[in-house]
Amino acid sequence: MTNFKLIDKKWQESWEKKKIFQVNELKKKKFYSLEMFAYPSGSGLHMGHAFNYTVGDIFARFKIMNGFNVLHPVGYDSFGLPAENAAIKANIHPKKYTESAIENFVKQQKRLGLSYDWSRLFKTSSSEYYKWNQYLFLKLYEAGLVYRKKSCVNWCPKCETVLANEQVHDGKCWRHSDCDVVEKELEQWFIKTSKYSQELLDYLPKLQWPERIKFMQENWIGKSKGAKVKFKLKDSNEEIEVFTTRPDTLYGVTFLVYSIQHPKVRWLTKDTMQSDEVEYFLRNLPKQSPEDRDKEGIFIGRYAINPLTNEEVPIYASNFVVPDYATGVVMAVPAHDQRDFEFAKKYGIPIKLVIQPKKGLLNVKEMESAYTGPGILVNSGKFSSLDNETAKEEIIKFLKSNKLGKEELQYRLRDWLVSRQRYWGTPIPMIYCEKCGIVPVPEKDLPIKLPEKIIFGKGNPLETSNEFIQVRCPKCKSLAKRETDTMDTFFDSSWYFLRFTDSHNKLKPFETKKVDFWLPVDMYIGGSEHACMHLIYARFFTKALRDLGMLELDEPFKVLYNQGMIHGEDGFVMSKSRGNVVDPIKTLDKYGADALRIFLVSNASPDKDSSWSATGIESSYKLVSKIYNYVKKAKVGITSARVENKLNKTIKEVTEDLENLRYNLALIKIRELVDSFEKQISKKDLESFVKLICPFAPHIAEELWNLIGNKKFVSLETWPKFDSKKINPELDAIDELIQNTIKDVYNIQKLVSIKPTKIVISVAEHWKYNLINDIKKEMKHTYDISEIIKAVIDKEHAQDIAKLVPSFVKNPTKLPKLVLSQEKEFNSLKENKKRFEKEFNLAIEITKNNIKAMPGKPAILFE
RNA sequence: GCAGAGGUGCCGGAGCGGUCAAACGGGUUAGGCUUAGGACCUAAUGGCUUAGUGCCUUCGCAGGUUCGAAUCCUGUCCUCUGCACCA
């Protein structure tokens, strides 16, 4: 086994020492290639990381070799709960824990041979970075995009902190699929992502992202078109605004429903006979996650007036109404909305039919579910007999002109809750003063550093750190309290790609000019799990910072590529409990980086899931060895036309495949090329080949490049160009002819079941290509090549044979047939001549010493 | 329930109107090399067949379009992913 480990090390050190991947803004043709921000977990690099970085690195290297000024940076998203928890568990300070984790991570990443500009490295847990988190937080605050609000928020008991909407999946915490999120009423910091709902939606079609991700974001932002309608509260001047997408059903409203979390519920009910009952209801309603909770509600003792009919409708409070969507109150039309229908049935509320389908008549008494389809309005005053779509418009028009409502758009996207009740994150730069209220920390006082001497126990250790909490109010200088919450780590990753353009700027988060030069990210590679988290926040940030005048950019990521997952050999997700985890480092030790890189991308298209395979990595290792040994032993000379054809064709196809991240297909073509190589090859072609494999296997590429007499780095060489003149389909045809001839030789041999001592192959005298040589070469494994001799067939036949190749190219299915015989079997063959001719459509003439090929048929003779 | 993606040979996985019994890899079988094993190299690997430019059957299932379908259309079953009380 060649020790590729040493070769890996040699070149990794050399690249780093010569800083060959460091870039600046001098060269114009830029390309920003980025893999999603790494969270440096204490357990080090796993196969998924290795895959992600390999996919990105191959692309970055390809772009470098194509003359681009490639920014390919790396950094660490080092704040966060897992580090904090792991540190507590190991009884180490999170800072120490994280630092050693990063150190380890860097070491492991380097072993993959990644083309990073290491000089730009930063970590978010360093105050040099999070200072700018705080700075940007304050800028957003000044711009009115950060606010504090008391509301019902999601709390994960395992994380012991609140979560953003995006971090709750199916009622569970995104980190703990076994942990139900609890709703808590708390005052928290929010970022107004909702301000950009429409723009986030509008730009989606322009992005070169997987359709799936765009679709997920579209759903997440969730735009609905409808109307805002004002209901008067009975015995009051108050108005209740509701949002509906079905203004056409307004005549069918039989009740209104407040969300139980709506702050107005208690207030509305306080002077009614129901107040105790409602209070009891609100207090005792079991907390259940939304999907499995039953609709529970209660009449709150008040009535509202339908603006169109002036009818009184009762008001309820229920758990099925989402508190922070639209106004948190809905108008209920049980006849035409399934949820309202179920609720009305349960509480015996009247159901009023206002839309009849165009076919068939509905009857309220017989209805078993709401009718939500289209139809004609009935029982709807002057709007009756209108088509319901028309009625939507007409009713909105009417509401508008009578100031009872208006057309309205609603989005599902909520504002981003960024407070976290944890230690290992960026302190929120706010101060609470009894006199002045909320006071932002002045810019000059940044960064607010995380205190290192703290006591971990239950809850947020910052709350017990007096050193941290106690502060003078920046305004009135009296004693005040610091905010002890830290920022969601998604805040850190929302702008890190901007910082990479100017990683070590001490005066600003980044230089606008640099961002304008490098951004947008031209290729962003990572998993799809961030579709509705990081990828939404980062888009929001970009737009917000643009509006703050900090950059000129609408969208941060031009192209997004989702790589798949590497599963264990058993096809399941790699996990410790399953015991199917494969350690990339151990693999690197055994096979070297190039083999691992090649394995990871040769299984399947990189956007698909694939499984680890012990034989697969072996096979990649074999390919690497084969390439290495071939180039090492290749005789520099003239490349045969056959290999030239293959090489140029491969360059052409591999280039296209790389451009489209079809690494698996590119590697197949490279494999075929390697198999077609001959001992002799020109230096130039050898060099082209080494360049061709460089993005995949940069270490052996450098080693071989050096070996064939080059001093510079192949990683920085220009990508090979193919010569279309060298690509000749005729040669492929010849190749096929040879393969078929050999096949025939084997078949005849099988037939006569005797090992031949000598093979005579008759071919045309003036055959353009040296068929015999090629056949000899190919058959050297089976026979002593000296035993294959060329027999010349007469001119008349030869001319016909010469026609074969062009006609074959035109119609590859009509392959010329080669005829074989063997001395011992000669007689039987002779006897069967007629049959052969008939069955196999062969024109053969058998004589004692030779088999004469008839037009179009070369012949082979065993002696 | 709604919306997306997909079902290909022993396995992974290409192909996405004709050159397809279907790339490439793995596995298996046979042969070469070798003291032996490994590595390496070669061939075979849907069925039939006394050599295939042969026949038959295959690309989830059932139909259809076409001179021609793994590839296009319709229906159907299954798998995976995402969203699920957003009014």
Side-chain angles (χ1 to χ4, degrees), chain A residues 287-345:
Chain A
K287 298 227 152 138
Q288 279 170 309
S289 57
E291 72 261 30
D292 48 35
R293 87 181 147 209
D294 295 326
K295 291 181 181 54
E296 304 274 359
I298 189 164
F299 173 55
I300 65 165
R302 302 290 298 258
Y303 292 87
I305 313 287
N306 185 321
L308 292 189
T309 62
N310 287 320
E311 280 168 3
E312 283 179 15
V313 291
I315 302 175
Y316 282 74
S318 170
N319 60 355
F320 84 86
V321 177
V322 178
D324 47 3
Y325 179 72
T327 56
V329 200
V330 299
M331 59 176 233
V333 186
H336 304 292
D337 182 285
Q338 189 55 29
R339 296 152 301 181
D340 300 347
F341 183 84
E342 285 166 26
F343 193 84
K345 280 277 179 198

Side-chain angles (χ1 to χ4, degrees), chain A residues 88-145:
Chain A
I88 293 169
K89 205 171 160 192
N91 202 21
I92 309 173
H93 192 280
K95 190 178 173 190
K96 272 222 170 103
Y97 179 89
T98 306
E99 270 163 13
S100 75
I102 290 177
E103 203 180 309
N104 181 38
F105 213 83
V106 168
K107 219 162 68 195
Q108 298 191 336
Q109 266 180 316
K110 284 189 175 167
R111 292 201 50 193
L112 284 166
L114 306 172
S115 60
Y116 287 141
D117 178 350
W118 289 99
S119 73
R120 290 172 188 261
L121 186 150
F122 60 78
K123 47 181 195 267
T124 57
S125 57
S126 140
S127 63
E128 280 159 34
Y129 184 83
Y130 71 69
K131 169 181 177 174
W132 302 112
N133 272 345
Q134 292 167 340
Y135 173 88
L136 292 172
F137 187 91
L138 293 172
K139 287 286 166 207
L140 293 174
Y141 180 75
E142 281 167 28
L145 288 168

Side-chain angles (χ1 to χ4, degrees), chain A residues 206-237:
Chain A
K206 298 176 197 171
L207 299 173
Q208 293 171 55
W209 287 19
E211 289 306 316
R212 196 168 66 93
I213 304 293
K214 293 205 246 180
F215 181 77
M216 281 164 75
Q217 288 212 350
E218 199 184 310
N219 279 342
W220 190 258
I221 297 164
K223 181 178 178 174
S224 311
K225 208 177 137 186
K228 204 165 231 180
V229 185
K230 290 175 185 165
F231 281 70
K232 275 213 171 65
L233 184 67
K234 195 190 165 195
D235 306 323
S236 159
N237 293 327

Side-chain angles (χ1 to χ4, degrees), chain A residues 355-361 371 373-377 386-389:
Chain A
I355 290 176
Q356 283 287 4
K358 284 170 185 161
K359 278 181 190 166
L361 265 186
Y371 176 71
I376 304 295
L377 264 67
L386 281 180
D387 170 87
N388 77 304
E389 287 303 318

Side-chain angles (χ1 to χ4, degrees), chain A residues 582-646:
Chain A
V582 180
D583 179 4
I585 300 306
K586 280 188 188 142
T587 311
L588 286 170
D589 285 340
K590 191 164 171 196
Y591 299 102
D594 294 337
L596 178 60
R597 291 167 62 110
I598 286 176
F599 167 75
L600 287 171
V601 298
S602 52
N603 266 336
S605 170
D607 58 343
K608 291 200 175 152
D609 292 354
S610 63
S611 298
W612 180 260
S613 148
T615 50
I617 180 73
E618 288 277 353
S619 140
S620 298
Y621 174 78
K622 280 183 204 168
L623 177 64
V624 172
S625 307
K626 207 174 185 175
I627 291 173
Y628 183 73
N629 291 329
Y630 172 73
V631 178
K632 228 168 112 177
K633 289 176 193 156
K635 216 172 116 199
V636 174
I638 296 163
T639 314
S640 71
R642 192 176 145 263
V643 172
E644 266 183 343
N645 166 49
K646 194 88 187 161

Side-chain angles (χ1 to χ4, degrees), chain A residues 36-297:
Chain A
M36 281 185 188
F37 215 14
Y39 181 81
S41 105
S43 46
L45 208 68
H46 57 65
M47 208 49 91
H49 288 125
F51 184 45
N52 186 194
Y53 305 144
T54 300
V55 171
D57 191 59
I58 291 172
F59 203 75
R61 285 176 174 275
F62 175 63
K63 286 289 165 187
I64 291 171
M65 294 180 78
N66 275 282
F68 285 89
N69 185 16
V70 176
L71 174 60
H72 190 208
V74 63
Y76 300 94
D77 192 9
S78 49
F79 266 144
L81 204 46
E84 184 172 343
N85 288 341
I88 293 169
K89 205 171 160 192
N91 202 21
I92 309 173
H93 192 280
K95 190 178 173 190
K96 272 222 170 103
Y97 179 89
T98 306
E99 270 163 13
S100 75
I102 290 177
E103 203 180 309
N104 181 38
F105 213 83
V106 168
K107 219 162 68 195
Q108 298 191 336
Q109 266 180 316
K110 284 189 175 167
R111 292 201 50 193
L112 284 166
L114 306 172
S115 60
Y116 287 141
D117 178 350
W118 289 99
S119 73
R120 290 172 188 261
L121 186 150
F122 60 78
K123 47 181 195 267
T124 57
S125 57
S126 140
S127 63
E128 280 159 34
Y129 184 83
Y130 71 69
K131 169 181 177 174
W132 302 112
N133 272 345
Q134 292 167 340
Y135 173 88
L136 292 172
F137 187 91
L138 293 172
K139 287 286 166 207
L140 293 174
Y141 180 75
E142 281 167 28
L145 288 168
V146 168
Y147 65 96
R148 196 165 161 81
K149 179 178 85 171
K150 187 173 184 178
S151 71
C152 196
V153 296
N154 304 302
W155 171 274
C156 173
K158 278 205 178 163
C159 295
E160 293 183 69
T161 179
V162 295
L163 300 170
N165 245 304
E166 287 77 11
Q167 292 156 6
V168 180
H169 299 155
D170 288 335
K172 316 261 196 250
C173 165
W174 67 300
R175 291 189 200 277
H176 304 105
S177 54
D178 57 339
C179 183
D180 280 330
V181 163
V182 182
E183 287 172 342
K184 274 198 177 184
E185 195 158 323
L186 291 168
E187 197 172 298
Q188 300 283 304
W189 287 102
F190 287 86
I191 295 184
K192 240 185 213 165
T193 42
S194 65
K195 190 185 167 191
Y196 288 89
S197 299
Q198 188 59 48
E199 201 195 323
L200 288 168
L201 212 51
D202 288 342
Y203 277 79
L204 227 35
K206 298 176 197 171
L207 299 173
Q208 293 171 55
W209 287 19
E211 289 306 316
R212 196 168 66 93
I213 304 293
K214 293 205 246 180
F215 181 77
M216 281 164 75
Q217 288 212 350
E218 199 184 310
N219 279 342
W220 190 258
I221 297 164
K223 181 178 178 174
S224 311
K225 208 177 137 186
K228 204 165 231 180
V229 185
K230 290 175 185 165
F231 281 70
K232 275 213 171 65
L233 184 67
K234 195 190 165 195
D235 306 323
S236 159
N237 293 327
E238 287 273 324
E239 275 179 342
I240 302 167
E241 285 196 317
V242 300
F243 174 72
T244 178
T245 53
R246 295 294 305 271
D248 50 329
T249 63
L250 202 43
Y251 279 82
V253 174
T254 54
F255 57 106
L256 295 193
V257 195
Y258 268 94
S259 159
I260 45 165
Q261 280 118 359
H262 200 289
K264 275 231 164 134
V265 172
R266 281 190 171 87
W267 180 82
L268 281 170
T269 196
K270 75 176 185 277
D271 296 325
T272 66
M273 290 165 63
Q274 275 77 13
S275 78
D276 291 345
E277 223 176 298
V278 171
E279 189 57 37
Y280 182 83
F281 175 83
L282 292 179
R283 279 176 195 278
N284 294 290
L285 196 64
K287 298 227 152 138
Q288 279 170 309
S289 57
E291 72 261 30
D292 48 35
R293 87 181 147 209
D294 295 326
K295 291 181 181 54
E296 304 274 359

Side-chain angles (χ1 to χ4, degrees), chain A residues 104 106 153 167 173 191 199 213 238 385 443 453 456 465 480 505 535 578 596 602 672 746 764 785 846:
Chain A
N104 181 38
V106 168
V153 296
Q167 292 156 6
C173 165
I191 295 184
E199 201 195 323
I213 304 293
E238 287 273 324
S385 80
E443 212 179 299
K453 280 184 196 157
F456 288 99
S465 168
N505 195 326
L535 288 170
R578 268 219 159 75
L596 178 60
S602 52
E672 284 174 349
Y746 287 124
I785 51 168
I846 300 173

